[in-house]
Amino acid sequence: MRTDPAKAGQKPGKDTAAGGERRGGWRRFKGAKGWWRRWRSWLPFVVKPLRRGIVIFVLLLVIEYLVVPELVGASRDLYLLGRVNAGWPRA
């Protein structure tokens, strides 16, 4: 969204390039703080998917180590119950 230089408190011919864009783009961020300013602008777009990925990974680990062994144990118990001879419970 471009603003009118007159409304922004600037003179129309001062420090504007063709199309109202500044020249130099990334070159204006120089020095040690420059990389942090660029990274900080991208940080919200990186943190949310990264957090979501970590949560999904932890949930998959919990399911793998807590839920799946219980299901395997239950299926093994059902298998063993199916092998029981019907004559033994009568005795």
Side-chain angles (χ1 to χ4, degrees):
M1 185 165 76
R2 296 181 183 162
T3 59
D4 186 22
K7 290 181 182 177
Q10 299 175 354
K11 293 183 180 178
K14 187 178 179 184
D15 197 30
T16 57
E21 298 290 329
R22 284 188 174 183
R23 290 185 186 175
W26 291 102
R27 283 186 247 154
R28 63 182 175 178
F29 297 119
K30 292 183 179 178
K33 292 184 180 181
W35 68 272
W36 176 246
R37 287 182 185 168
R38 279 183 271 141
W39 178 249
R40 198 172 74 186
S41 67
W42 283 96
L43 202 56
F45 301 109
V46 173
V47 170
K48 191 172 183 179
L50 186 63
R51 184 183 302 146
R52 187 176 297 143
I54 290 171
V55 167
I56 290 172
F57 180 72
V58 168
L59 284 175
L60 287 175
L61 283 178
V62 167
I63 290 171
E64 181 179 351
Y65 287 106
L66 297 178
V67 175
V68 172
E70 291 293 325
L71 294 175
V72 171
S75 67
R76 183 172 176 262
D77 292 341
L78 288 174
Y79 169 74
L80 291 175
L81 282 174
R83 292 192 59 201
V84 171
N85 189 354
W88 285 108
R90 289 185 198 165

